[in-house]
Amino acid sequence: MRTTVRLTASATSALPRWLLFAICIVYAVSGLFGRDPWKNEDAAAFGVMWTMANGGWHDWLLPNLVGKVITATGPLPFWLGAIFIRALGPYLAPNDAAHALTGFMFSGTCAFVWYGTYLLGRRPEVQPFKYAFGGEPSPRDYGRTLADGALLILLASFGLAERGHESTPQIAQLACAAMFIYGLVRALDKPWQGACWTGAALGFFVLCANPPLLLALFIALIAVTLVVRQIDSRKLLLVAIPLGLVIGASWPLAAYLSYPADAASFLHDWVANNFANFRGSPKGALFYAAKNLPLFTWPAWPLAIWTWVSWPDLRRAPHIAIPLSVVMTVLLLILLQQRETNLLFLLLLPALAIMASFGLPTLKREAINAFDWFAVLSFTIVGGFVWVVWIASQTGQPAPIARNLSRLVPGFRPEFNVVSLILALVVTACWIALVRWRLTRHPKVLWRSVVLSSAGTTLMWVLLMTLWLPLVNFSRTYRDVATQIATHLPSDYVCISPVRLGDAQLASFAYFGNMHFAFDDSDCDVLLRQDTQDYNPPASLSSYTWKLVWEGRRAADRDERFRLYVRVERPKRPTPAIKRNPPR
C-alpha cells in the first residue's frame, strides 16, 4: 500500500492540554444551567424525565409524559435523567439536573471520539513516510495529534452547538454511536475487549433509540466485518451480538413481566410507529436535508470527503471503512425519513469527525488558509453582531437595532448580569489572542487548520449563552404562559383535557403550572386548546357548556394561541307539578 503522508515530527507537536480541556469544558458547560427547558424537544424530553422522577415503576418501564405514552425512543435517557433529578435534587433545580446529564453524555462522546481516533492513528498502515535519516513523527505522537484534530472538528461542527446542549435522547444516542465506533476500533488490536464495547453500544442503543436506528448500526457492523480485513469478525460477532441482545432485551422483558397488557401495546407502537416514519415519499425530508445537512455538519463533511480523495489506496483500511460504514447507514435513514427534522443529523458527527481528521495531514496550504479565513471572518462577524445587539438591548443604541429587537421579541425586558458580561469579555479576548497567534506565527502543526473553527464555535455559543441567554430563554420558554393559565384554573378542578397541545407544552405546563392532564377520555371539567387561528368554541352537551376563562400566547410567538375553557353545569329545569283530579 502506498503511503500518502509526508510529515516531520514538528508537525505533530501536541496541542497544549490545558487549551484542549479549556475549550471542551467551556463549550460543554455553557448553556446547560440557569435556563428553562426550551421548546420543543428539550422541554418534551425533560417532561418525561420529570414524570419518571416523580412516578412509580409503571412510569419507569413504560415512558410517558404526564400520562401521554412516548414511544419515539427507548427509556435509557429518561432513566438517567430521572436519576440525575433525584440525586441532584437537593442542589439543583430539576431542569438543571437533567441538563447535567447532557454535559456528562457530551463528555463521554468527546472521550470516545478522541480515543478511537488515537488508536486508528497509531496503526501501521496510516503512518507517515519514513525518511532515510529519521525525523518522522512517532506513532504515538501522530495518533495523539490526529485525535486532537478529530475532537476539534467535532467541537467545530455547527449543529452540535444547540443539539449538544439539550436534554434529549439524541445526546445519549450520540454517545452510543461514538462508543460503537470506539468498540470497532478497539477490536482491531484487542478483539475480545472491542467486541464487549461494541455489544454494549448495540444494547444501549436499543434502550435509548428505536428499531430503525438499531437496524442501521447492525448493518454498519456487518459492513465492517465484510470490508475490514484486519478485524477478527468471528470474535466480534460471537460476543457483540449476544451481549447486545441481552442488554437490549432487558427492558422489554422487564416491562412485559410487570405489565403484560400495557407493555404489549407500548412495544407494538414502539416498533410500528418508528418504522412508519420511514415509509412513503421522502421528498420533503430530502429537500430539508439538502438545505440543512451541509451547514449542520460543517466543517466535518468537506474534510471527510477530502480524506476519501487523499487516501485512494487505503479506502478499505479501518480509518476510513469503520467511520464511513456508520456515516452511510445513518445517511440512508436521513434520506428515507418522512419528518423534516435534524435529530438524526447529530449521529453523523462522531464518524465524520474521526474520518475527517485523517484528511488533515494531506490538506493543501490553500485549503488550510481558506478554512482559517472563513472561521476568522464568519465568527468575528457573528461575535460582533451578538455584542452589538446586546449593547442595543441595554442602552437603546443603535436605535434601529433596539426597535427591531423590541418588535421581534415583544415584552422582553433586558437583564444585566455582571458575571455573564465578564465571561463574555474573557472569551472574546481569548478569541482575539488566538486569531492573532494563528495569523502571525503560521504554525506547521496538523491541528492548525481546525483550531480556529472549534474556538470560533465555542466563542459563538458562549456569547449566546451569556449575553443573549435572557433573550433566548424568554423566547423559548413556556414559563409565563403556564403561570397565567395556572392562575385561571379552578381550585377544585378534576383534570385538564388537552386539545392539540404538543409534548413541549404539556411538559412545561405540568412542570411550571403543576397542571393535571388526562388522555383517556376522562370526564374532565377543564379544557385547554392550542389554536393557530380562530376556532369555534368546543361543542356543548345538553347537561353542560364550556366557558372561556382565559386566552393568550407567548409574547415571542405569534403562531400559537391557547384557550382555557371551564365546564359549567346547566341548571336543571324544575319538574312541572302533575295536576291530579280530587277524588269524588
Side-chain angles (χ1 to χ4, degrees):
M1 293 184 180
R2 181 171 58 86
T3 302
T4 60
V5 177
R6 294 177 180 268
L7 291 175
T8 60
S10 61
T12 57
S13 298
L15 182 69
R17 297 296 96 180
W18 67 267
L19 179 59
L20 186 64
F21 281 114
I23 293 176
C24 291
I25 293 173
V26 171
Y27 186 89
V29 172
S30 298
L32 289 183
F33 307 110
R35 66 172 178 88
D36 296 334
W38 289 342
K39 60 174 297 190
N40 288 308
E41 288 82 6
D42 185 40
F46 165 72
V48 181
M49 298 174 185
W50 182 69
T51 301
M52 278 189 181
N54 294 279
W57 282 113
H58 189 276
D59 300 305
W60 284 72
L61 291 176
L62 303 175
N64 64 89
L65 173 57
V66 293
K68 180 182 178 181
V69 176
I70 301 297
T71 60
T73 60
L76 181 59
F78 307 128
W79 289 347
L80 297 176
I83 292 172
F84 270 65
I85 290 174
R86 286 191 174 184
L88 301 178
Y91 315 103
L92 295 175
N95 55 299
D96 287 336
H99 288 140
L101 171 64
T102 301
F104 179 79
M105 289 293 180
F106 184 90
S107 301
T109 301
C110 292
F112 284 124
V113 168
W114 195 94
Y115 279 105
T117 311
Y118 175 66
L119 294 177
L120 288 172
R122 291 169 48 183
R123 293 191 57 79
E125 65 267 13
V126 300
Q127 295 306 305
F129 178 81
K130 292 186 176 181
Y131 298 101
F133 299 99
E136 70 278 356
S138 67
R140 180 177 179 273
D141 291 340
Y142 186 55
R144 185 175 60 179
T145 304
L146 290 174
D148 291 347
L151 186 54
L152 291 176
I153 293 170
L154 178 67
L155 297 179
S157 301
F158 286 177
L160 188 65
E162 180 182 2
R163 288 298 185 191
H165 292 84
E166 295 179 332
S167 57
T168 62
Q170 282 68 40
I171 192 68
Q173 296 169 14
L174 177 72
C176 288
M179 181 194 295
F180 176 76
I181 298 173
Y182 171 78
L184 293 176
V185 174
R186 184 83 273 185
L188 293 168
D189 57 349
K190 295 184 177 181
W192 295 114
Q193 182 180 340
C196 290
W197 280 107
T198 305
L202 288 173
F204 292 148
F205 216 78
V206 175
L207 300 180
C208 69
N210 51 57
L213 285 175
L214 175 64
L215 180 61
L217 277 196
F218 183 77
I219 293 174
L221 172 63
I222 299 301
V224 168
T225 59
L226 295 176
V227 174
V228 181
R229 303 186 184 94
Q230 297 91 331
I231 205 165
D232 191 332
S233 303
R234 184 182 63 85
K235 292 180 180 179
L236 179 63
L237 298 178
L238 186 63
V239 174
I241 294 179
L243 180 59
L245 289 174
V246 170
I247 296 176
S250 60
W251 159 59
L253 183 61
Y256 188 78
L257 292 177
S258 302
Y259 308 99
D262 292 344
S265 176
F266 184 97
L267 295 174
H268 174 270
D269 293 342
W270 180 61
V271 174
N273 293 345
N274 283 293
F275 273 109
N277 292 330
F278 299 93
R279 298 172 185 166
S281 175
K283 290 183 180 179
L286 285 174
F287 179 76
Y288 180 87
K291 184 174 62 175
N292 295 282
L293 186 58
L295 181 62
F296 191 99
T297 56
W298 177 273
W301 70 267
L303 290 172
I305 292 177
W306 176 249
T307 298
W308 172 265
V309 173
S310 60
W311 294 83
D313 299 333
L314 295 175
R315 289 172 180 169
R316 294 171 63 94
H319 69 289
I320 293 180
I322 291 178
L324 186 61
S325 65
V326 176
V327 170
M328 296 306 295
T329 51
V330 175
L331 187 61
L332 180 62
L333 279 184
I334 292 174
L335 298 179
L336 293 177
Q337 67 179 343
Q338 305 300 304
R339 297 174 56 196
E340 296 183 9
T341 175
N342 60 10
L343 293 178
L344 291 180
F345 295 0
L346 198 64
L347 302 183
L348 292 171
L349 296 182
L352 284 176
I354 292 174
M355 185 174 174
S357 65
F358 288 89
L360 299 179
T362 60
L363 205 61
K364 306 299 181 183
R365 179 176 298 178
E366 295 79 6
I368 295 175
N369 292 336
F371 276 107
D372 283 343
W373 282 110
F374 175 80
V376 170
L377 292 177
S378 59
F379 290 116
T380 300
I381 292 173
V382 171
F385 176 74
V386 173
W387 273 106
V388 169
V389 172
W390 179 81
I391 292 173
S393 69
Q394 298 292 325
T395 66
Q397 298 295 329
I401 295 180
R403 286 195 300 269
N404 289 333
L405 183 62
S406 62
R407 188 182 304 114
L408 291 174
V409 192
F412 171 68
R413 296 180 179 179
E415 302 175 12
F416 180 79
N417 189 303
V418 176
V419 176
S420 297
L421 177 60
I422 293 175
L423 291 176
L425 289 171
V426 170
V427 75
T428 303
C430 291
W431 168 252
I432 295 173
L434 182 63
V435 170
R436 184 175 180 274
W437 170 83
R438 174 65 185 89
L439 298 182
T440 57
R441 296 291 183 88
H442 302 291
K444 303 298 182 182
V445 288
L446 291 183
W447 43 263
R448 69 188 186 276
S449 58
V450 290
V451 66
L452 283 179
S453 296
S454 59
T457 307
T458 304
L459 166 78
M460 176 189 67
W461 183 249
V462 173
L463 288 182
L464 288 174
M465 294 298 101
T466 52
L467 300 180
W468 279 23
L469 182 58
L471 173 65
V472 176
N473 195 58
F474 177 82
S475 64
R476 302 196 62 181
T477 180
Y478 285 98
R479 179 190 289 269
D480 293 340
V481 174
T483 303
Q484 295 177 47
I485 296 174
T487 59
H488 290 82
L489 286 172
S491 59
D492 57 347
Y493 78 96
V494 177
C495 62
I496 303 173
S497 178
V499 179
R500 289 187 292 272
L501 293 186
D503 292 345
Q505 296 148 359
L506 289 171
S508 300
F509 295 161
Y511 177 58
F512 291 120
N514 194 28
M515 302 178 196
H516 308 288
F517 294 96
F519 303 90
D520 55 356
D521 296 327
S522 299
D523 188 20
C524 292
D525 51 353
V526 177
L527 187 146
L528 180 59
R529 298 174 24 150
Q530 176 195 341
D531 300 328
T532 55
Q533 55 184 328
D534 291 334
Y535 281 83
N536 294 327
S540 300
L541 299 181
S542 58
S543 58
Y544 63 82
T545 186
W546 292 105
K547 178 183 177 182
L548 179 65
V549 296
W550 177 86
E551 180 178 1
R553 60 179 176 84
R554 295 190 313 120
D557 200 327
R558 297 177 176 85
D559 296 329
E560 296 175 345
R561 181 167 296 277
F562 302 97
R563 292 180 173 88
L564 182 69
Y565 296 88
V566 175
R567 190 174 69 186
V568 178
E569 302 291 342
R570 290 181 176 175
K572 296 182 179 180
R573 296 181 180 180
T575 304
I578 301 177
K579 295 182 180 181
R580 299 180 180 272
N581 296 325
R584 296 181 180 177

